[in-house]
Amino acid sequence: MPRSIHRWSAVACLLALGGVGPAQAQLGLPGLPSLPGGVGRVPLLRPSEPLLASVPLQELRQRTVRDLLRQHRDLLEADPAGEPVRRAELLLVSPAQATLDAALALGFRLLRDAVFEGLDTRSVVLQPPRGLSTAAALARLRTLDPGLEVDFNHVYTRSGSTGEAPTERAASSPTTAGATALPGPRIGLVDGGVDRAHPALRRASLTHWGCDGRTVASAHGTAIASLLVGRDARFVGVVPEAMLYAADVYCEHPDGGSVEAVASALAWLARERVPVINVSLVGPPNRLLERAVRALSARGHLVVAAVGNDGPAAPPLYPASYPEVIGVTGVTPARKALPEAALGPQVAFAAPGAELSVASAGASGYSVARGTSFAAPVVAGLLSRGLALPESAAAQRAVQQLADSATDLGAPGRDGQFGWGLVGEQARIAPERVQAAARKQM
């Protein structure tokens, strides 16, 4: 039986922080099955471009980051570790007014100043003085106040696609956040936009946040949403009866997915008191993200995140590696670990992560998915059952009960490959099952 669960991976925060890159599980092309065994190969797509190449899943994130930095030099630059950040922007977390005044006196320019209600956190974005690089400006700010929490405005990239272009739809009338008296669990999603016109999502109870009211459907966001609350004659998600609170942090902007946007989305979910939040996005550690995760955990929320696909030897990825987060890895239908999945103390659970059917954005069909991104919503959905509101004791019981029900794989007890073990095995909708159901409807 697992030991008492208080911090999900207490050792993770002590691991090296340098050289960590954003990563994300990928989607395969519609009807293209994942490769059994070995590292999956998926299409590499640039924004608004046709299929370019096929690369191993472990390499796709790095290729995508390079393309982003090359194509959008006016908006993005690399931090010293090579990670994409918003150009000429530094993010201060709840700075003292004296420190801020001193920075402005040195020539820093105030770009944005926001308070994230629900997280008790303030974010101030400054532009460096002319002639000073972003990295040098960060070092200068730290000389003003050694205790200052300052970081780059990191961009958490999506590194896979089904090949479908983003589809903008008129904003429909979502179930309002005030209508939380509906029966069933509530679950949050921080990702790209969700295609609510897909047959599997038309009947879903969904509240949208972001993009100034527009709905910009994305392949990744639609796929994750379908695994959570999707339902039609061919497909069913883990908790189709749940109310989904879906935050789009990209809106298909080249510099979308900033840590600012992620923190804003988490603050919205905190205000709405959504007990379980799925984040299938992975990237470098960041001071603002860390503060947001800690605030959510202190209020009894459960944050569930994919551990990433950079491979077993890669540095830890975030937010999954923060000790307050439930990190999820993926396994094949044969209960083998995905060879591209991360390893380490951040792994709390394993769930199906290969040969999964997921809804395709901008279409009525389904794609085949592979990666830890798609294992995370299985765990998030299971944890959301029975959690009406954020509450620390109830959240800890839910995790303990799920751990007790897990099928132990690998070394006895919790380990760095499978965590406490495999859960949600029955949640995988095999591609052949969807195809068979489609033939019956013809």
Side-chain angles (χ1 to χ4, degrees):
M1 180 176 294
R3 297 178 179 177
S4 177
I5 302 164
H6 178 62
R7 292 170 70 82
W8 316 129
S9 51
V11 183
C13 61
L14 301 178
L15 300 179
L17 301 183
V20 180
Q24 199 172 330
Q26 323 308 330
L27 292 168
L29 288 173
L32 179 66
S34 301
L35 298 178
V39 178
R41 300 181 70 85
V42 295
L44 171 63
L45 299 173
R46 294 177 182 170
S48 304
E49 291 187 9
L51 182 65
L52 296 175
S54 179
V55 298
L57 196 60
Q58 285 176 257
E59 299 176 13
L60 186 60
R61 189 264 304 178
Q62 292 90 342
R63 293 279 294 273
T64 302
V65 167
R66 287 198 297 269
D67 284 349
L68 265 178
L69 292 171
R70 178 171 51 83
Q71 295 171 16
H72 304 289
R73 295 174 181 170
D74 57 329
L75 300 173
L76 301 172
E77 61 178 311
D79 73 0
E83 308 303 338
V85 300
R86 295 189 66 166
R87 178 170 289 280
E89 290 190 3
L90 289 172
L91 197 153
L92 285 64
V93 182
S94 300
Q97 189 59 46
T99 301
L100 183 57
D101 291 342
L104 297 177
L106 286 175
F108 285 85
R109 178 188 171 200
L110 177 64
L111 297 180
R112 293 179 296 280
D113 188 344
V115 174
F116 296 128
E117 297 179 6
L119 301 179
D120 297 332
T121 300
R122 178 188 179 197
S123 168
V124 177
V125 180
L126 299 181
Q127 183 182 65
R130 182 171 297 181
L132 196 63
S133 72
T134 310
L138 185 147
R140 181 168 296 183
L141 285 174
R142 285 179 173 159
T143 65
L144 294 177
D145 179 1
L148 176 66
E149 291 188 78
V150 58
D151 214 328
F152 299 99
N153 197 353
H154 286 109
V155 170
Y156 288 69
T157 62
R158 295 175 297 171
S159 42
S161 171
T162 58
E164 300 146 349
T167 305
E168 182 169 337
R169 302 185 185 277
S172 52
S173 300
T175 306
T176 62
T180 55
L182 291 173
R186 297 186 303 143
I187 192 163
L189 174 62
V190 178
D191 211 288
V194 176
D195 184 1
R196 300 185 60 182
H198 192 282
L201 294 167
R202 287 174 187 164
R203 294 185 294 163
S205 298
L206 190 150
T207 297
H208 171 265
W209 178 92
C211 308
D212 298 321
R214 296 177 300 129
T215 300
V216 186
S218 72
H220 196 266
T222 299
I224 301 297
S226 70
L227 289 169
L228 289 168
V229 299
R231 175 173 53 192
D232 73 359
R234 295 177 285 170
F235 181 92
V236 62
V238 180
V239 278
E241 73 280 12
M243 164 82 78
L244 180 65
Y245 289 73
D248 186 349
V249 296
Y250 293 101
C251 305
E252 296 306 331
H253 297 315
D255 57 348
S258 70
V259 71
E260 259 188 301
V262 173
S264 294
L266 293 174
W268 170 63
L269 294 166
R271 293 193 301 272
E272 299 299 337
R273 303 192 70 192
V274 178
V276 181
I277 301 167
N278 186 89
V279 186
S280 286
L281 312 175
V282 186
N286 184 278
R287 299 295 183 90
L288 179 59
L289 182 59
E290 180 180 7
R291 177 74 71 92
V293 164
R294 285 181 177 175
L296 286 166
S297 178
R299 288 162 175 76
H301 298 264
L302 287 177
V303 178
V304 179
V307 297
N309 308 306
D310 276 14
L317 301 172
Y318 296 81
S321 292
Y322 288 123
E324 299 85 0
V325 175
I326 308 294
V328 183
T329 190
V331 299
T332 70
R335 295 183 171 182
K336 302 294 184 182
L338 296 183
E340 63 269 19
L343 296 178
Q346 70 272 33
V347 179
F349 291 102
E355 299 180 45
L356 297 132
S357 294
V358 294
S360 299
S364 60
Y366 293 86
S367 300
V368 180
R370 177 189 179 101
T372 61
S373 271
F374 308 103
V378 174
V379 173
L382 293 173
L383 288 171
S384 72
R385 295 173 178 174
L387 290 177
L389 293 171
E391 200 275 311
S392 295
Q396 185 161 332
R397 283 195 301 271
V399 177
Q400 187 72 62
Q401 290 167 3
L402 189 61
D404 290 343
S405 71
T407 300
D408 197 0
L409 301 177
R414 183 174 179 178
D415 61 70
Q417 186 171 42
F418 300 103
W420 283 293
L422 173 63
V423 297
E425 193 170 25
Q426 71 286 354
R428 185 181 76 91
I429 305 298
E432 55 269 23
R433 174 178 165 185
V434 173
Q435 293 167 358
R439 285 194 294 269
K440 289 181 180 179
Q441 292 179 332
M442 295 178 61

